[in-house]
Amino acid sequence: MRIFKNRGDIYFSKNNKEKSAEQRFLIAALALIVVFTFIFVVFVGVKNDFSAKEFFKPDNIETTHAFNDEQQLPSVSGKSNFISVVSEDENLLFVSLVQVDLDSVSYKVSNLKAQTVCDGKPLSDIFKDGGVQNVQNAVESLLDIKFDYYIHLEKAKYNEFFNEMGRVNYPVLSEIKFRDNESPVPYSARFKAGEQKLDGSQIINLTRYYLEEENNTEAANELMLVCLSQQINPENLKKSDELFSLFMELSETNITIRDFSVAGDGITVLSDERSGVKVYSAAAEYDADSLSSESLQKIKGYFVK
């Protein structure tokens, strides 16, 4: 039986009994070479990944993957005005006006005292007479601007939702030791100087202190802007559905599920660290308990659409 065709051909006898020692040696050598070659190929292939997937993979696959990870932000536009009130034991604590401006990707904020007079009545009385929607109507008439959405949260519910969003870091400029036992809703504000990590209840008390005791609406605005800037973030974006569900459970509002769905791109942009969201404060200035004419025009200028 002939194996090779060229010179040096090896022949095997058809009669197994006639196999020589030389033939057996050649067969064993050939088998050893085959086995060794197989082991070598497997070893090198595993080490260097000679799989079909790797063989056909484009040379620039890593560059393409890195590019896809850096997704572009959606294009957004428009402005929405929000009016929110915080209460405790059916007493109004303060009113916050917020504009989310997607044209300039910014927040605009103005906080009003509960005693702010609108059409001859303080907002605190207007709230007791008809709730958050009456407050909205009164402020719209006073400022001659339109608010798209209203939000009402009682203090305990505000604190619960705020803490779910996450406490905020806030630099207190100087130590505060204050207690009010005379207002319809007594409160205390005790804060050490320096960086503090504040929960929802502390934010409410500090806002009241700035508005009622210091008459410092600018500081109250800056505190709210710090909260917005820190809490609208990538981590909360990932659980935005759960947060919105909790918000709907705790608040009185005219914001709907459809509004939340439509706002998805805007929330994505505001949450992204690349957006560089800007902040603006429209500080309310008072003559007694009424907004000054200059302050009225200033706030209107910030919130007009």
Side-chain angles (χ1 to χ4, degrees), residues 170-179 188-196 198 206 209-210 213-214:
Y170 178 75
V172 179
L173 298 182
S174 58
E175 186 177 23
I176 299 173
K177 291 183 178 180
F178 175 80
R179 184 170 184 82
S188 63
R190 300 181 66 86
F191 301 93
K192 296 180 180 179
E195 190 83 7
Q196 304 294 322
L198 305 181
L206 187 54
Y209 174 79
Y210 284 147
E213 182 63 20
E214 288 197 346

Side-chain angles (χ1 to χ4, degrees), residues 49-158:
D49 196 0
F50 287 164
S51 64
K53 178 180 177 181
E54 287 298 312
F55 180 82
F56 290 106
K57 184 175 72 173
D59 292 336
N60 63 340
I61 188 68
E62 293 185 1
T63 304
T64 303
H65 180 70
F67 176 81
N68 289 336
D69 282 348
E70 191 73 10
Q71 295 180 351
Q72 288 188 338
L73 294 174
S75 177
V76 294
S77 62
K79 302 176 183 180
S80 297
N81 287 339
F82 298 79
I83 181 168
S84 66
V85 304
V86 179
S87 69
E88 185 175 6
D89 299 330
E90 299 183 354
N91 291 287
L92 179 65
L93 300 183
F94 55 86
V95 177
S96 297
L97 314 179
V98 178
Q99 182 180 93
V100 177
D101 184 350
L102 294 177
D103 293 338
S104 62
V105 190
S106 63
Y107 302 121
K108 303 168 187 178
V109 164
S110 184
N111 281 288
L112 305 178
K113 302 177 183 180
Q115 297 304 311
T116 303
V117 173
C118 292
D119 196 21
K121 293 179 64 175
L123 288 174
S124 55
D125 290 348
I126 294 172
F127 176 75
K128 284 185 176 181
D129 292 341
V132 61
Q133 294 184 58
N134 266 23
V135 172
Q136 177 184 351
N137 293 336
V139 174
E140 285 181 340
S141 177
L142 177 67
L143 299 176
D144 192 26
I145 56 178
K146 178 69 177 176
F147 289 91
D148 304 286
Y149 305 105
Y150 64 79
I151 301 167
H152 169 220
L153 282 162
E154 296 176 354
K155 183 178 180 179
K157 294 180 178 180
Y158 178 101

